Amino acid sequence: MDFQDSASEAEVRADARAWLAANLPDAEARRSMGYGVADEAAALALAKTWQARKADAGWACMHWPAQYGGRGASPIERLIFEEEERRAGAPTGFFEIGLGMAGPTLQAYASEEQKASLLPRMLRGQDVWCQLFSEPAAGSDLAALRMRAVRDGDDWVLTGQKTWTSGAHYADYGIIVARSDPSLPKHRGLTFFFVDMRSPGITTRQIRQITGPADFDDVFFDEVRVADSQRLGAVGAGWQVALTTLMNERLSLGDVARPGYEELVARLRMSEIGGRPALEQADIAARVTDWHVRSRGVAFTRARIITALSRGQEPGPEASILKLASTAMFQEIADFATGLEDQGGVLLAEDRQAGVADFQFAYLFSPSFRVAGGTDQILRNIIAERVLGLPPEPRVDKDVPFNS
Amino acid sequence: MDFGFSDEQIALRDQARRVLTARDALGAARRVTEAGLDHDAALWGEIRALGWPAITIPERHGGLGLGPVDLCVVAEELGRSLAPTPFATNLYLAAEALMLDGASEAAARWLPLLAAGEASGTVAIAEGRGELTPEALATRIDGTRIDGVKVAAPDGLAADFALVLARDAAAGGASLALVELGGKGVCRQPEATIDPSRGHAELRFAGAPCTVLGRAGDGWGLWNRLRDRAAVPFAFEAIGGAQACLEAAIGWARERHTFGRPIGSYQAIKHTLADMFVAIELARSNAYYAAWALSVDAPQLTGAAASARIAATDAFWLAARENLQIHGGLGFTHESDCHLFYRRAKLLAVNLGGPRFWRARLAGEIMAGRAELER
C-alpha cells in the first residue's frame, strides 16, 4: 500500500510539471479555447494548436502505442500527466470524445491501415471525432435505435436521425451504430461504422443548451454511403462494439468536473459569513466534510483502478462507481455555492474569467453530466445487474424481432 | 504508487476469512448477545493461537512487528463477522496507546502480555452522555491516585488494566493514566449497551493507584492522537460489516419473491443496493488512504483518518438499515442477523467520539490546509 510516487513516477511528474510550466498558454488564451466561448471556430483552432504542441512533446495520449503517436506509457504515468494538467488548469476541450471513446474503439476494431492513418491525426487534434449513438427514440434504451444501414454492394447506405451529438457540426469523423437487420431482436441487428462527417447526405443542426451555447447537434442521415471497409466489428455485432465505447466513456467521464470541491474549499477558506470564518460554521462544515470524503473517495478509487491496471489485472467492480459518485456531487456543490452567495447568487458572471470558479455556470451545466454517458438510473441498473448479480428487469422487447 | 494490498496481505485476509467462517464468528456474536456474555472465550482462544494479537506490536516487545495495513486486513474480516472478542480494544487502543509511549516501563511490561494474549487492556474515557471536553472531565488524578467514574469502557470487565483520561490539576490539564483493574480502589460492573455482542463496563475509581502515560498534562492530545490511529482499523471493521450487510441483502433480494418476481428485479431495491455498493467502495478507498497515511505517519493522517471514519460510519449505517429494510418483517426479528449489524453500526459510529466530533475534526484539518493531496 503506497500512495506516493515511486522514483521513476516522480521523475515523470517533474517532467510533466516543467513542460506544462514552460508551454501552457496564458490564462486569456486558455479561456479563449474553452467550450461555450463566442467564437467557436477560433477556439477550436487554438485548441488544435495546443493539442499539436502536446503531441510534439509526446504528452498527448501518452498511453497509446508509439506507432499511433503515443509513448506506450503506463496507466500510472498517464494519470500523473492528467493530474498535472489539472493542477495547471490546462485546457482539454474538443478532443475528449475522439481520444477517450473513438480512439479506443478504433484500436480494438479497425484495420492496421486505418489505425495507422486515423489515430495519429486524431491524437494531434488534426481530426475531431464525434459519437453518433443517441436518437430521438433511443437514449437510455440505446438498442432501440432506428438508424437504418442497408447493404448495397461494397457500401452501406445509412438513413435516419441521431441527436444530442456533441460537436457534430465541427467534427471530421464520427463513430456510429445503426440497425442492419430489423428482423432480429434489437440487440442482435446492429452494426458499427465510422463515417466521414463531410459525406454527402449528412446535415447537422445545432441544438441550444440550457447554458446558452449550442455544443451539440441533431444529425440527419439521408442515404449516406459508407464503405464496408469502415465497418468496425462483425455485421450484427454493433452492440458489443458499442459497449466497448461506452465503458471507455464512463471511465473518462469519471473525471471530476470543475468548479467542484477544490474550488469550493478554496473559496470558503477565505470567506467569512456573518463575521465568522465560513468553515467554522457547523452547517457549512457538515456539507463540506461530506464532499471532502466523497471527492477523495473518487480520487482514491481511481488510484485503486490504476493500480489494478498496473498490476496487469482488470479493474474490479469499483470502476463502475466513478461517474455516478462524481456527477451528483458536482451538481450539489454548484447548488450549495450559489446559495451561499445569498441574493447575489442569482447573478451570472459578467465575464467568465479563467481561474475564477463560476458556480452559476456549473449549476446550469451540471444536469448534463447526470444524463450524458449513462444516466444515474442506468448506471445503478448496471451496478446492480452486472456487478451485484441481481436479476434483470423483465424486458418485453428483448427476444422478439425489432420490427415485430 | 501501488494502491492496494500485497499478495501476503491478501493471503492473510483469506486466512482470516476462512478461520472466522469455520469458527462461526457471527454465530458466536449471536450467542454472546443472547447469553449476556462479555466475549466468546473459544473464538478469542482461537485468535490468540493464530498470533493475531501480536500483529502490530514491535518484535522487541514480543510482537510480530507487522504494519498497520496488515492489521486493517484482519480488522475488515473481524468486522464482517462481528467477531465478539477483545481484539480491537486490546490492539487498536490499549497496545496502540502504549506504543505511542513506547519507551515507558508500562509498555515494556504490558506489550509482551498483550502480544501473547495473556493480558487485556481497555480505555476509559466517557463519563456519561454527551460530547466530552477536557474541561468537563470529572475524574481526577491526584499525584499517583485516581478518583472518578467512567462509563462504556469496552471490554472493561475482563481487562487487566485501563488507560483512564482524567483531570490532572498538578500538570495543569488532562493526563492519560494506567490503572491496574485488579488492584484496590477499583470497582467495576457490566453495562447494558445497544450492542451486547461486545462487553462494556462501568469503572469506579476510589483512590486507585495510577501511573501517568506520556507527558503529564498532555492526556487530551494523546487521546486525540490515539483515536486518529484507532479510527483507521475501526473504519475497516465498519466496512467489513457494511459489506456483510450488502451481501446478505443481495442474497435475500434474489431469493424473496413478490408479485411473481424476485424483489431484486425491482429498481426500488436494485438502486438501493447500488447505492450501498457505491458508499462502501468510496469508504474503502478512503480507508486505504488512511491505512497508508498511518503506515508512513503522514502529516495528513488526522484528515485521512477522519475521512475514513466518516465514510465508513455512513456506509455501515446505510448498509445496516437498508439490509434490515430489504428483509422486511423478517429483518425486525431477533432471529435474523440484521439487528446484529444494525447494533454494531451504532457502536462503531460512537466508540471513538460521535460523527459530529469527527466532522469538526476534519473541517479543522481542511481549514488549516492539512488535508490537501500534495504529491
Side-chain angles (χ1 to χ4, degrees):
Chain A
M1 188 74 74
D2 190 359
F3 190 69
Q4 298 285 67
D5 290 337
S6 69
S8 66
E9 288 158 11
E11 210 169 294
V12 172
R13 190 180 298 281
D15 285 352
R17 207 171 280 187
W19 186 82
L20 285 166
N23 289 278
L24 194 68
D26 65 32
E28 180 54 33
R30 296 208 298 273
R31 189 176 70 83
S32 310
M33 68 174 81
Y35 285 119
V37 298
D39 189 346
E40 187 179 67
L44 179 56
L46 282 169
K48 285 186 171 192
T49 309
W50 168 241
Q51 185 68 17
R53 198 189 298 178
K54 262 167 68 176
D56 288 340
W59 293 110
C61 289
M62 56 192 287
H63 57 294
W64 284 15
Q67 73 256 39
Y68 308 136
R71 50 163 113 162
S74 72
I76 293 185
E77 290 167 342
R78 175 194 178 188
L79 177 78
I80 288 170
F81 184 68
E82 288 177 358
E83 282 176 356
E84 292 305 317
E85 268 190 310
R86 222 179 130 71
R87 168 209 289 271
T92 54
F94 293 102
F95 309 111
E96 303 102 317
I97 290 167
L99 302 177
M101 294 163 232
T105 310
L106 289 176
Q107 287 183 39
Y109 293 100
S111 70
E112 273 314 317
E113 208 172 279
Q114 289 164 338
K115 287 192 266 191
S117 70
L118 294 169
L119 290 172
R121 291 183 57 82
M122 181 194 287
L123 177 140
R124 287 183 60 81
Q126 287 164 288
D127 296 331
V128 180
W129 286 65
C130 66
Q131 174 192 291
L132 300 144
F133 276 20
S134 289
E135 297 184 6
S140 287
D141 186 8
L142 178 62
L145 63 89
R146 292 164 183 276
M147 170 75 65
R148 286 285 283 125
V150 178
R151 187 72 189 249
D152 181 24
D154 284 341
D155 290 344
W156 294 80
V157 179
L158 270 59
T159 302
Q161 184 192 345
K162 295 288 177 179
T163 192
W164 309 314
T165 308
S166 298
H169 58 283
Y170 54 73
D172 302 289
Y173 289 94
I175 49 174
I176 185 165
V177 59
R179 186 162 306 280
S180 50
D181 188 348
S183 71
L184 292 174
K186 66 183 198 177
H187 292 87
R188 280 185 257 151
L190 304 176
T191 300
F192 202 107
F193 306 92
F194 69 87
V195 297
D196 183 335
M197 290 299 285
R198 294 190 183 79
S199 307
I202 297 181
T203 30
T204 63
R205 183 173 69 198
Q206 286 178 258
I207 310 170
R208 195 166 182 220
Q209 301 143 200
I210 64 175
T211 45
D215 298 327
F216 66 168
D217 301 82
D218 281 320
V219 187
F220 301 93
F221 281 66
D222 182 11
E223 301 196 344
V224 175
R225 297 193 81 83
V226 178
D228 185 55
S229 59
Q230 289 176 220
R231 174 167 46 80
L232 298 175
V235 174
W239 184 250
Q240 288 69 37
V241 182
L243 289 182
T244 311
T245 311
L246 291 175
M247 198 56 221
N248 279 294
E249 177 173 31
R250 278 162 200 154
L251 273 177
S252 58
L253 282 178
D255 199 6
V256 185
R258 293 189 148 184
Y261 170 75
E262 307 293 343
E263 288 76 15
L264 176 69
V265 165
R267 178 177 288 189
L268 288 176
R269 280 175 64 187
M270 293 182 300
S271 302
E272 290 202 342
I273 294 177
R276 282 196 301 137
L279 276 171
E280 280 182 10
Q281 306 191 31
D283 61 325
I284 295 177
R287 304 295 302 275
V288 168
T289 50
D290 193 37
W291 292 316
H292 178 91
V293 166
R294 279 158 69 196
S295 70
R296 293 294 192 258
V298 169
F300 300 143
T301 300
R302 190 174 292 109
R304 287 168 60 198
I305 293 165
I306 299 287
T307 294
L309 288 169
S310 310
R311 292 176 176 184
Q313 302 158 350
E314 288 287 306
E318 66 276 5
S320 56
I321 73 173
L322 292 179
K323 178 178 181 294
L324 189 57
S326 55
T327 58
M329 182 166 57
F330 177 55
Q331 188 173 39
E332 288 169 28
I333 290 173
D335 170 65
F336 180 76
T338 48
L340 276 184
E341 294 173 356
D342 207 66
Q343 294 182 48
V346 77
L347 299 173
L348 288 180
E350 285 169 17
D351 179 22
R352 290 187 48 217
Q353 294 170 297
V356 175
D358 182 349
F359 288 108
Q360 277 72 18
F361 177 77
Y363 178 83
L364 293 174
F365 200 71
S366 57
S368 71
F369 286 95
R370 296 185 49 207
V371 174
T375 63
D376 285 2
Q377 289 70 26
I378 289 292
L379 293 179
R380 286 193 175 91
N381 280 355
I382 289 173
I383 289 172
E385 293 179 13
R386 309 239 182 93
V387 179
L388 305 181
L390 289 154
E393 298 265 328
R395 289 178 186 169
V396 293
D397 60 349
K398 193 165 184 225
D399 296 313
V400 298
F402 183 73
N403 59 6
S404 65
Chain B
M1 182 179 78
D2 186 33
F3 199 57
F5 293 136
S6 68
D7 288 344
E8 293 76 14
Q9 286 158 350
I10 288 166
L12 176 62
R13 180 190 68 194
D14 293 347
Q15 181 212 33
R17 192 172 302 180
R18 253 192 332 270
V19 169
L20 293 166
T21 306
R23 300 294 165 200
D24 190 21
L26 184 57
R30 171 173 290 282
R31 285 194 300 279
V32 167
T33 297
E34 288 173 353
L37 301 172
D38 189 61
H39 64 270
D40 188 84
L43 185 65
W44 180 225
E46 186 82 23
I47 285 173
R48 284 185 295 176
L50 287 164
W52 293 353
I55 288 181
T56 45
I57 294 175
E59 286 170 288
R60 69 173 189 281
H61 290 306
L64 295 170
L66 297 176
V69 182
D70 304 289
L71 179 67
C72 289
V73 165
V74 174
E76 183 175 342
E77 297 310 313
L78 293 168
R80 165 193 279 273
S81 63
L82 299 181
T85 77
F87 179 87
T89 311
N90 273 359
L91 215 53
Y92 318 162
L93 289 166
E96 197 67 44
L98 294 169
M99 289 189 282
L100 275 175
D101 181 34
S104 72
E105 260 175 55
R109 168 157 182 227
W110 290 104
L111 283 174
L113 294 171
L114 288 170
E118 288 166 10
S120 282
T122 184
V123 290
I125 311 290
E127 301 185 341
R129 298 184 195 277
E131 201 169 298
L132 194 68
T133 61
E135 297 74 32
L137 280 169
T139 306
R140 308 261 153 185
I141 293 171
D142 180 11
T144 58
R145 306 274 162 190
I146 192 162
D147 287 275
V149 182
K150 292 288 183 181
V151 300
D155 301 295
L157 218 52
D160 299 287
F161 66 91
L163 302 166
V164 187
L165 188 65
R167 190 114 201 104
D168 187 343
S175 293
L176 195 65
L178 190 147
V179 182
E180 292 196 31
L181 298 177
K184 63 178 174 23
V186 180
C187 165
R188 51 182 158 176
Q189 58 182 1
E191 289 175 310
T193 71
I194 205 163
D195 180 10
S197 71
R198 305 290 301 102
H200 286 81
E202 178 196 83
L203 306 179
R204 289 181 173 272
F205 305 107
C210 70
T211 321
V212 169
L213 212 64
R215 190 164 53 77
D218 182 38
W220 188 257
L222 187 56
W223 164 232
N224 280 336
R225 290 195 295 284
L226 175 61
R227 56 177 154 173
D228 281 351
R229 302 177 76 84
V232 182
F234 274 124
F236 276 88
E237 284 206 4
I239 288 164
Q243 181 71 34
C245 289
L246 174 61
E247 289 169 15
I250 290 170
W252 182 245
R254 293 164 62 94
E255 191 181 311
R256 172 76 170 174
H257 283 60
T258 59
F259 310 106
R261 287 159 55 182
I263 60 170
S265 70
Y266 294 102
Q267 289 192 350
I269 301 293
K270 221 174 244 186
H271 290 190
T272 301
L273 292 165
D275 288 341
M276 285 159 69
F277 172 75
V278 171
I280 291 168
E281 290 307 317
L282 292 178
R284 196 186 300 282
S285 300
N286 272 294
Y288 275 26
Y289 180 70
W292 167 78
L294 184 57
S295 72
V296 298
D297 242 327
Q300 298 93 337
L301 173 62
T302 297
S307 296
R309 167 92 180 173
I310 292 166
T313 300
D314 288 354
F316 197 6
W317 162 231
L318 174 71
R321 73 174 189 261
E322 296 306 328
N323 177 40
L324 196 153
Q325 176 72 19
I326 286 168
H327 277 79
L330 187 70
F332 191 64
T333 65
H334 208 269
E335 181 195 343
S336 95
D337 289 334
C338 296
H339 69 104
L340 299 175
F341 289 94
Y342 189 76
R343 293 168 184 282
R344 183 63 65 87
K346 179 51 67 182
L347 171 61
L348 293 187
V350 300
N351 67 343
L352 300 174
R356 197 183 160 281
F357 167 81
W358 287 98
R359 285 193 183 268
R361 192 156 176 79
L362 177 56
E365 293 299 296
I366 293 169
M367 190 152 72
R370 282 192 298 265
E372 308 291 315
L373 272 187
E374 279 303 320
R375 298 214 225 207

